[in-house]
Amino acid sequence: MKKRSRLIALLLCLLLAAALALTACGNKDHGSVIAMEVGKNPTKLSYMTGELFDPSGMELVVQYEDGYVETVTDGFTWDITDPLEEDDDEIIVRYRNKSILLFIDITVKVPTSLEVETPPDKLVYTAGERFDKTGLTLKATYEDGTEEIITEGF
């Protein structure tokens, strides 16, 4: 029984060592990236303001200093991770020591209707008194049917 347990343990160790060796062989360091280009654009290139950039579907073709070329589908980063604004039509994509520009289209999200969600705290004024917007919230409805509560910027 002890011999069998030792044999099983030895076989497991050999299998683990072989798996580690094969993994190490597949991760050869090819040196620095010397060239990079977008091999396939992300699935989505047109955005409305307020959406998040989605790199799904993007492939980078990367060339290393030893001449090795590979297609990369993950492991890269991008500079704009907040909701997109009107000026965010260039995304900087980084992989290892290189970066490239990816151009996207941004459409400003314009409401088709506005309505008062919550009236301002003060509703009665005398002639010449300035409007006080404290407490006022608006509900904006957009072309795509989405709604947003607006609490500032008016």
Side-chain angles (χ1 to χ4, degrees):
M1 187 71 156
K2 280 187 177 183
K3 278 187 175 183
R4 187 172 187 198
S5 295
R6 285 185 183 166
L7 181 59
I8 290 173
L10 178 61
L11 286 173
L12 287 174
C13 287
L14 288 173
L15 284 172
L16 179 61
L20 289 174
L22 287 173
T23 302
C25 289
N27 291 333
K28 181 178 183 241
D29 183 14
H30 298 285
S32 295
V33 174
I34 61 168
M36 180 171 69
E37 65 183 37
V38 175
K40 184 177 175 189
N41 281 323
T43 306
K44 184 172 182 173
L45 288 174
S46 295
Y47 293 88
M48 298 288 287
T49 52
E51 291 184 301
L52 294 173
F53 172 69
D54 180 3
S56 297
M58 183 165 63
E59 295 180 358
L60 300 177
V61 178
V62 179
Q63 181 180 0
Y64 297 90
E65 61 188 350
D66 69 353
Y68 182 75
V69 177
E70 73 174 327
T71 299
V72 175
T73 57
D74 59 17
F76 46 80
T77 60
W78 52 96
D79 65 332
I80 301 175
T81 56
D82 292 329
L84 295 166
E85 296 179 6
E86 185 175 0
D87 300 353
D88 294 335
D89 58 351
E90 296 178 356
I91 305 288
I92 299 173
V93 179
R94 292 184 181 87
Y95 180 73
R96 294 186 63 179
N97 61 313
K98 281 285 186 207
S99 61
I100 57 171
L101 280 179
L102 177 71
F103 296 95
I104 61 173
D105 294 317
I106 302 288
T107 302
V108 176
K109 198 173 182 179
V110 178
T112 55
S113 70
L114 283 173
E115 59 185 75
V116 174
E117 178 76 8
T118 307
D121 295 341
K122 184 173 181 171
L123 297 174
V124 179
Y125 292 87
T126 58
E129 193 175 355
R130 294 183 63 90
F131 174 69
D132 180 1
K133 63 182 179 182
T134 304
L136 175 65
T137 62
L138 303 175
K139 179 169 72 172
T141 304
Y142 298 96
E143 287 179 2
D144 63 0
T146 60
E147 297 178 340
E148 176 183 16
I149 302 299
I150 301 172
T151 59
E152 61 186 17
F154 45 82

